[in-house]
Amino acid sequence: MRFFEYESRQVVKRAGIPVSPHGFATTPEEARRIAEEIAAPVVVKSQVLTGGRMKAGGVKFADTPDEAAAHAEAILQLEINGHMPRGVLVDSRVAVKQEYYAGVVWDGTRKQPVMLFSDMGGIDIEEVAETHPDHVGRRHVSNLLEVSDYQAKEVIASIGVTGSALTRATPILARLARLFVEHDMTLAEINPLAQLEDGSFVAVDAHMDMENEARPRQKALLEELGVGDEETRQAREATPFELAGEEVDAQDHRGVAGNVTEFDGNLGLVIGAGGGSLTLFDAVRAHGGKPANYCEIGGNPSVAKACGLAKLVLQKPGVDKIAVMMSIVSNTRVDIVARGVVKACLELGHDPAEKIAIFRIPGAWEEEGFKILERYGVEYCDRSVSMHEAARRAVESVERPEADRRNQNAGQDVPSEVTQ
Amino acid sequence: MSILIDADTTFIVQGITGREAVNLTRECLDYGEGAKIVGGVTPGRKGREVHGVPVFDTVAQAVEHHGAPIDGSVVTVPPAFTKDAVMEALEHGIKLIVIVTERIPRRDVAQMVEKAGYVGARIIGPNCLGIIVPDVVKMGGIGGPARDAAKAYTPGPVGVISRSGGMTTEMSSTLTAAGLGQSTAVSIGGDAIIGSSYAELMGLFEADEQTQAIVIYTEPGGRMEAQLAEWVRENDSRLPIVAFMAGRFMDEMPGMSFGHAGTIVEGKADTAAEKIARLAEAGIVVAEEISQIPDIVKSKIAERSPV
């Protein structure tokens, strides 16, 4: 879960790291007041959860409070990469002697946090690491012991920083590492960490990302920052279609039928689960198919949930057919999913044989499931048909002209009671 | 032979009275030669039985009742209590811990793994389905009920390692259908930090005579594949590796996670394209489709066999 810059600054500040004088505003008037308080030239920054603010005109410099208010008014209405700003940060323009970088991230291979420090701040650290590796210091810290200041000192000294810069930056990096651990961050970054003309250090910009799984135990911090439970803070705002998917999944606690992501194709997908969904989504695209959505189904959801998900996908504008596919299931029952998707078609007045391009779910209770599908003339297959082959058939079915399809199916009996 | 577990492996199930754990216990008892589940632990439920397995309040009681060290534990307790359960198991000498639970914050996982390292124990998972040695024993929900697991898994020369539990079974079933059995299949979990990565299991497969090839299932996110490529370069492995990479579409959607918590493209090195390149550089064949895997494995085994 990502934090806005103004929240990240607060997180940094409450950990005892100095920050430049600033304030958060949601109106031009508030921006003016903050600029007046700072009583010096300021910079007005859009508060959006996306990059490229500077390029988009979301960062502007102001010499007077009036100018700050005018900039705030413009920036508050400026959409950046599809995001409207939450507000603006009015920040003092500090006289910087040198820009540094301080950061903490996880190393998934070593399975420990790693502290990073560079004397080339203000630019992307990955870029610095590539072009000037000798300007990036790093070291891992134990998960079982408290972070010690000497560890931060070693990182900073390793790139040749000494004197008062070393002694002043050391507690900042150590505190950053402690807050990273304490608050379950996946990224804690101060960039730039500015050394001012008087030798002191302040955080001028900060980025924080907290692990979603830790939100329940970080409630106190989130409340303090005013972050509500309903704020998912994903890389992309959820669409109404995706929110409807969450509702389907929330209707009962049995299994999963949701995690919907919207795409703009014509083939609706009811697929599962974690790795199976990834494989099947790729497979559809590899065969030239255009998925209308991504989703996940697994853990033995109820008929109602499977039905709800299928209905949601079937009703999405532009969807011609749905493909119901999973890797071999052991705890999800094939017959329950079959019943759910057939029911969805019928309730919407569709012929399941027409609307379900293919049903490929092998595994537990498959005989019972296949019987249901047979009754409604739905094309299905077992594990002898690979996931990719099933995806190919689904794509072919949805792309094939209707008349052609009818010819091929001539002679197949569709029970009249479900076609009406 | 097999890696990690065999017919003699004794283990407990922590959180055994939960619905999923009850099923998992049944499945493991029924599969192959029948797992040696010597106890279950759920605080406050001492004295009960789950499918004939005695339930205890503490791991210490289970060990005392067994009268000898216990080899492993399957941990199925809720995420907020998992770290505590694992620390308890480690304290009482358990050396192989399979963590089924998902949604555990990675700080907790990292602490458990580091602690396990100090005491010479190994963690598989979290967010995994466990380990299966075809026709012999399974530890975890992998493959499902005994009857279903028997359909998908069969003994043979291929070691399977997968970040997806379900895909472990799909790939093994594809191998089985092509006449290629498995030595051991391990579902290693879909989280960003896990107890045992591909590279951390390779040494065991290398030392296992039965294993002649490795098949891996992989996804975007993390650096585990680069670590495997490095392992292959550093160790003159006798084992050919065939990989399948799912989630290629995610390369176009940085910052979003699909399927598993660990699948998020945070940097260039996390992308499917980059991983495929790293694996290929190390001589690991990346199959386009799962159905191609058996033929590739057969030809690789034939190449390496002494004439």
Side-chain angles (χ1 to χ4, degrees):
Chain A
M1 188 205 80
R2 301 189 301 169
F3 289 105
F4 288 95
E5 181 193 356
Y6 73 96
E7 295 166 335
S8 297
R9 295 254 217 143
Q10 200 178 327
V11 172
V12 165
K13 194 175 164 191
R14 66 196 289 291
I17 297 170
V19 297
S20 50
H22 68 279
F24 172 67
T26 54
T27 65
E29 267 322 298
E30 283 172 11
R32 184 200 312 275
R33 221 172 305 129
I34 296 163
E36 278 166 2
E37 269 170 39
I38 292 174
V42 295
V43 52
V44 183
K45 297 155 112 180
S46 176
Q47 296 299 288
V48 279
L49 292 177
T50 179
R53 284 185 302 183
M54 187 69 106
K55 237 189 206 160
V59 179
K60 290 198 156 125
F61 299 92
D63 290 326
T64 66
D66 281 347
E67 215 181 329
H71 286 331
E73 185 160 17
I75 291 172
L76 285 167
Q77 292 164 41
L78 179 71
E79 187 184 281
I80 301 177
N81 297 333
H83 296 248
M84 285 306 286
R86 168 71 66 96
V88 292
L89 188 99
V90 181
D91 196 7
S92 51
R93 273 152 74 186
V94 289
V96 177
K97 190 161 89 183
Q98 165 138 26
E99 291 189 330
Y100 293 88
Y101 167 96
V104 188
V105 293
W106 276 107
D107 177 346
T109 310
R110 279 278 297 268
K111 303 162 196 180
Q112 286 181 327
V114 51
M115 294 196 285
L116 299 158
F117 194 84
S118 173
D119 56 356
M120 295 178 68
I123 36 178
D124 181 45
I125 190 68
E126 282 197 39
E127 199 183 313
V128 179
E130 240 171 62
T131 54
H132 297 87
D134 50 327
H135 283 269
V136 181
R138 69 184 83 212
R139 76 162 278 167
H140 292 87
V141 293
S142 165
N143 293 295
L144 301 174
L145 303 169
E146 286 266 302
V147 174
S148 256
D149 279 15
Y150 83 86
Q151 297 170 317
K153 181 184 70 176
E154 284 185 357
V155 174
I156 300 165
S158 73
I159 53 164
V161 175
T162 180
S164 77
L166 174 67
T167 55
R168 286 179 192 243
T170 293
I172 292 177
L173 182 57
R175 282 169 191 164
L176 189 66
R178 282 184 207 116
L179 88 79
F180 174 89
V181 173
E182 187 188 339
H183 293 303
D184 288 294
M185 297 296 179
T186 54
L187 169 74
E189 199 173 63
I190 301 173
N191 190 24
L193 172 64
Q195 187 179 26
L196 308 183
E197 291 298 344
D198 67 0
S200 65
F201 279 78
V202 293
V204 172
D205 196 352
H207 292 275
M208 301 282 149
D209 216 317
M210 180 189 278
E211 189 162 31
N212 280 327
E213 283 71 13
R215 282 181 73 154
R217 70 182 183 196
Q218 294 297 340
K219 236 183 156 76
L221 174 68
L222 294 172
E223 265 171 29
E224 189 185 316
L225 295 172
V227 180
D229 287 345
E230 75 291 349
E231 288 189 60
T232 58
R233 302 278 180 94
Q234 295 303 310
R236 209 189 83 210
E237 295 285 322
T239 67
F241 175 72
E242 290 164 2
L243 293 173
E246 281 174 36
E247 264 171 46
V248 169
D249 196 35
Q251 66 181 262
D252 65 58
H253 288 286
R254 287 187 49 195
V256 175
N259 288 345
V260 177
T261 306
E262 183 164 3
F263 288 83
D264 57 8
N266 59 349
L267 178 60
L269 299 179
V270 177
I271 53 175
S277 294
L278 299 183
T279 303
L280 289 161
F281 194 93
D282 275 353
V284 166
R285 297 219 316 180
H287 289 296
K290 296 183 280 294
N293 66 288
Y294 170 91
C295 76
E296 285 175 41
I297 184 164
N300 207 23
S302 60
V303 172
K305 261 164 93 158
C307 174
L309 178 63
K311 264 183 161 174
L312 175 73
V313 176
L314 277 165
Q315 286 175 293
K316 185 175 183 281
V319 168
D320 295 330
K321 296 184 181 205
I322 57 168
V324 184
M325 306 183 287
M326 292 178 80
S327 56
I328 297 168
V329 293
S330 50
N331 68 342
T332 296
R333 277 173 54 171
V334 178
D335 62 326
I336 285 180
V337 182
R339 198 164 295 144
V341 296
V342 165
K343 190 164 177 251
C345 292
L346 295 175
E347 285 183 11
L348 293 173
H350 298 308
D351 173 4
E354 282 286 321
K355 278 288 168 184
I356 300 174
I358 192 131
F359 185 103
R360 192 268 186 197
I361 308 181
W365 298 72
E366 63 180 18
E367 294 86 359
E368 292 79 357
F370 295 162
K371 247 180 241 161
I372 296 166
L373 298 167
E374 225 154 77
R375 198 179 315 140
Y376 290 96
V378 175
E379 187 182 343
Y380 67 88
C381 47
D382 62 12
R383 73 184 67 194
S384 65
V385 172
S386 74
M387 294 164 83
H388 280 81
E389 172 58 17
R392 191 191 63 75
R393 290 187 195 175
V395 172
E396 199 184 271
S397 165
V398 79
E399 298 299 334
R400 194 195 310 159
E402 208 51 30
D404 189 25
R405 208 192 78 86
R406 262 194 218 106
N407 281 341
Q408 288 198 11
N409 280 5
Q412 190 180 321
D413 232 8
V414 179
S416 60
E417 72 269 16
V418 294
T419 53
Q420 284 159 4
Chain B
M1 273 301 289
S2 55
I3 70 161
L4 298 167
I5 56 171
D6 57 31
D8 297 326
T9 302
T10 53
F11 64 92
I12 56 171
V13 177
Q14 287 176 270
I16 193 166
T17 52
R19 188 159 61 98
E20 211 180 316
V22 169
N23 292 338
L24 175 157
T25 301
R26 179 78 266 159
E27 293 173 4
C28 293
L29 290 170
D30 290 347
Y31 184 73
E33 298 177 22
K36 294 194 166 55
I37 306 180
V38 298
V41 176
T42 300
R45 303 286 166 87
K46 185 183 176 184
R48 292 195 186 189
E49 279 193 355
V50 172
H51 300 306
V53 175
V55 179
F56 303 96
D57 288 329
T58 66
V59 174
Q61 289 168 358
V63 173
E64 197 194 332
H65 178 264
H66 181 55
I70 295 170
D71 300 319
S73 175
V74 176
V75 178
T76 65
V77 305
F81 308 105
T82 308
K83 187 174 85 180
D84 188 52
V86 169
M87 293 300 182
E88 185 183 356
L90 291 172
E91 164 113 24
H92 295 284
I94 291 175
K95 299 295 185 211
L96 177 67
I97 295 171
V98 170
I99 306 174
V100 175
T101 312
E102 44 182 315
R103 301 188 66 79
I104 306 171
R106 66 186 95 171
R107 187 210 327 172
D108 289 12
V109 179
Q111 286 177 340
M112 296 185 267
V113 172
E114 190 164 328
K115 178 72 181 176
Y118 285 134
V119 298
R122 176 185 289 279
I123 290 175
I124 303 289
N127 191 5
C128 81
L129 291 183
I131 309 159
I132 187 166
V133 180
D135 287 1
V136 178
V137 65
K138 72 170 192 139
M139 183 174 173
I142 189 164
R147 195 174 63 105
D148 293 330
K151 251 186 180 178
Y153 294 91
T154 184
V158 185
V160 178
I161 315 174
S162 168
R163 282 171 69 177
S164 159
M167 293 303 289
T168 318
T169 298
E170 181 74 33
M171 291 198 309
S172 298
S173 172
T174 305
L175 290 166
T176 294
L180 280 171
Q182 306 84 42
S183 55
T184 307
V186 188
S187 156
I188 56 175
D191 284 356
I193 294 185
I194 52 173
S196 302
S197 62
Y198 307 116
E200 288 161 336
L201 290 171
M202 281 303 294
L204 298 178
F205 276 119
E206 186 77 27
D208 172 45
E209 278 177 23
Q210 185 187 340
T211 306
Q212 292 174 47
I214 300 293
V215 169
I216 69 166
Y217 164 92
T218 178
E219 300 174 340
R223 310 283 150 97
M224 222 183 292
E225 295 72 17
Q227 185 197 18
L228 174 63
E230 204 178 306
W231 187 92
V232 168
R233 269 193 302 273
E234 283 172 4
N235 298 270
D236 186 25
S237 174
R238 67 183 177 85
L239 298 171
I241 303 175
V242 181
F244 175 73
M245 165 73 65
R248 299 179 189 217
F249 70 97
M250 289 176 55
D251 285 6
E252 297 152 35
M253 314 182 75
M256 294 192 55
S257 163
F258 291 88
H260 296 116
T263 61
I264 183 163
V265 176
E266 282 167 340
K268 194 166 156 251
D270 302 349
T271 63
E274 190 73 12
K275 289 182 179 207
I276 290 170
R278 289 290 89 75
L279 293 169
E281 272 169 26
I284 296 168
V285 185
V286 182
E288 289 296 312
E289 297 186 10
I290 291 165
S291 57
Q292 299 168 343
I293 294 173
D295 282 346
I296 301 172
V297 170
K298 282 177 186 168
S299 71
K300 287 284 165 190
I301 290 177
E303 267 173 37
R304 302 217 179 184
S305 300
V307 183

